Amino acid sequence: MPFGLLKYGLSRRYPAKKHFGTPGDLKSSYDVVIIGGGGHGLAAAYYLAKEHGIRKIAVLEKAYLAGGNTARNTAVIRSNYLTEEGVTFYRESLKLFRDLSNEFDYNIMYSQRGQLTLAHTDAAVRSFRWRAEVNKHLGVQSELIGIDDILKLVPNLNVSADARYPILAGLWHADGATARHDAVAWGYAKGAAERGVEIHQLTEVTDIVSSGGRVTGVETNRGSVSCDVVLQAVAGASSLLAKKAGFRLPIVSYPLQAMVTQPLKPFINPHVSSTQLHCYVHQTARGEVVIGGGSDPYPLYSTRSTLDLKESLLGHAAEMFPFLAQVRLLRQWAGITDMTPDYSPIMGVSPLENYYLDAGWGTWGFKAIPICGKLMAQCIAERSAPALMQPFALSRFDRLEQVNEMGATAASH
């Protein structure tokens, strides 16, 4: 990648070429149809083409490329989860993220800056101590630290004993990182398109066609398409699309809001979150302060912003960093999170034969893009779920073998 940037900078003419080409008409049939042109769908298409030689693939996106939750998240990458299954899964995703820029020859602006989660109660401190030991046992950098070490990481943080919720300790996850969410999706789309994958925007799937308990095609606003395999990767709309396929998913969708301030000079490097305040803060490469927190308390399929959550999040952010009270808010947005009962995703087969699921990510979909795409591609190509994704099968709810990640983040759960 560095040599590509140098060549680009020294060129006398604009050397860039279109990443995705000009889309044509839909073909009548494909080997694989992927519903959802976000990070997960594009990653699965990329790995299917690159690692399994399956290239007759159509990615169908009802709006624009990566315009759903991929463009509506705060781009945090981490692996300090609660369960062995969760920690192992996200650990492998983080490893893939580190080399994506080189793999794509495309800068995803990956930045390893660490994540600091604040504890305000004795119960939180005990939980963090246990969580740090689980993480370290599984090869993830995670440790419980005191106030002195917290101030070394974030000197501007309010650690006063007179605060409404005084800080007692912190969980430091040195592996935590961020990346440019759009660039991750574009990198996967670019690599997939170069290998023959067709990416169709403004193409909405209106129905799933099946026969004898097996998927045979999809109906779209641009006509009918037959296929051997369908992968559903539509985030907040997962339960709605599954209903069209003829089955129900244990998913409820909630809006999740975030916002950024005007740019400031760099003052914070790690991602900082608070368990008690249900708020997180970090600063982008452009100097904007990203502020987010918990999901809205009611199900809704809407990406609107609300004043009450804005007031709540800004108040909590100002408790952690009081000087932010004088900073202007730049913009606010929302995504739709698809929440499962155990706060873990659903990956693999569905009740409809050859119809595969990539759903139930809640607030954690972005950080799982590389590993989920890789494993879903393997699952489709080999018709067998890899060991790493088996704990997240839909059938776990029938077996009562849930993977409980409730509380694995300070903000949303």
Side-chain angles (χ1 to χ4, degrees), residues 74 257-261 278-283 288-293 309-310 312-318 320 324 327 329 331-333:
T74 47
Q257 300 183 49
M259 58 200 71
V260 296
T261 70
H278 290 274
C279 180
Y280 62 82
V281 174
H282 71 256
Q283 195 168 15
E288 299 167 343
V289 181
V290 180
I291 302 170
L309 196 66
K310 180 189 298 182
S312 172
L313 287 178
L314 293 179
H316 292 156
M320 289 192 284
L324 288 180
V327 176
L329 191 66
R331 61 183 182 276
Q332 182 184 9
W333 68 91

Side-chain angles (χ1 to χ4, degrees), residues 89-90 92-93 96 367-376 388:
F89 181 87
Y90 290 99
E92 297 306 307
S93 196
L96 290 173
K367 56 187 65 65
I369 286 174
I371 191 62
C372 182
K374 193 178 185 73
L375 295 179
M376 286 304 311
L388 198 60

Side-chain angles (χ1 to χ4, degrees), residues 72-358:
R72 294 174 177 273
N73 70 88
T74 47
V76 176
I77 303 165
R78 63 185 180 92
S79 56
N80 59 340
Y81 282 74
L82 300 176
T83 66
E84 180 177 352
E85 298 88 348
V87 173
T88 305
F89 181 87
Y90 290 99
R91 179 193 67 199
E92 297 306 307
S93 196
L94 195 151
K95 289 179 181 177
L96 290 173
F97 260 114
R98 289 171 178 160
D99 197 47
L100 281 186
S101 290
N102 290 327
E103 181 168 345
F104 296 156
D105 192 23
Y106 192 91
N107 188 7
I108 67 165
M109 300 177 68
Y110 180 85
S111 174
Q112 184 172 334
R113 55 177 61 193
Q115 183 195 38
L116 175 64
T117 310
L118 305 174
H120 303 266
T121 65
D122 291 338
V125 173
R126 290 194 297 271
S127 173
F128 283 5
R129 183 178 290 112
W130 163 74
R131 185 168 163 185
E133 293 304 315
V134 171
N135 283 200
K136 285 187 285 188
H137 176 69
L138 296 170
V140 170
Q141 295 189 69
S142 191
E143 61 180 319
L144 187 70
I145 62 175
I147 296 296
D148 290 343
D149 288 326
I150 288 174
L151 284 176
K152 290 177 183 178
L153 293 167
V154 192
N156 295 308
L157 184 65
N158 178 19
V159 297
S160 171
D162 296 328
R164 182 169 59 145
Y165 299 112
I167 298 169
L168 303 182
L171 182 67
W172 172 238
H173 176 43
D175 292 334
T178 60
R180 175 67 182 173
H181 44 72
D182 294 327
V184 172
W186 295 338
Y188 276 118
K190 173 177 174 287
E194 289 172 347
R195 291 167 173 82
V197 174
E198 295 182 16
I199 300 171
H200 294 274
Q201 302 180 72
L202 300 177
T203 305
E204 182 176 4
V205 172
T206 57
D207 204 3
I208 306 298
V209 182
S210 62
S211 177
R214 177 187 177 92
V215 67
T216 59
V218 298
E219 296 286 345
T220 79
N221 60 339
R222 297 173 58 199
S224 302
V225 176
S226 63
C227 58
D228 297 326
V229 171
V230 171
L231 169 60
Q232 168 185 314
V234 293
S238 293
S239 54
L240 299 179
L241 191 59
K243 186 177 180 181
K244 294 180 185 294
F247 59 88
R248 296 179 62 189
L249 289 177
I251 285 175
V252 180
S253 294
Y254 297 87
L256 179 71
Q257 300 183 49
M259 58 200 71
V260 296
T261 70
Q262 67 187 94
L264 304 175
K265 290 183 178 180
F267 73 92
I268 180 174
N269 188 51
H271 176 89
V272 180
S273 57
S274 166
T275 57
Q276 194 73 34
L277 298 174
H278 290 274
C279 180
Y280 62 82
V281 174
H282 71 256
Q283 195 168 15
T284 71
R286 294 184 296 189
E288 299 167 343
V289 181
V290 180
I291 302 170
S295 302
D296 286 8
Y298 40 80
L300 193 67
Y301 295 100
S302 174
T303 55
R304 84 287 177 273
S305 301
T306 61
L307 178 61
D308 58 340
L309 196 66
K310 180 189 298 182
E311 291 176 334
S312 172
L313 287 178
L314 293 179
H316 292 156
E319 288 187 50
M320 289 192 284
F321 299 97
F323 64 90
L324 288 180
Q326 306 302 317
V327 176
R328 293 181 181 275
L329 191 66
L330 190 63
R331 61 183 182 276
Q332 182 184 9
W333 68 91
I336 304 174
T337 61
D338 44 332
M339 309 301 300
T340 61
D342 60 356
Y343 295 82
S344 287
I346 298 170
M347 291 181 282
V349 299
S350 76
L352 182 61
E353 187 178 351
N354 280 8
Y355 189 92
Y356 291 85
L357 296 171
D358 176 355

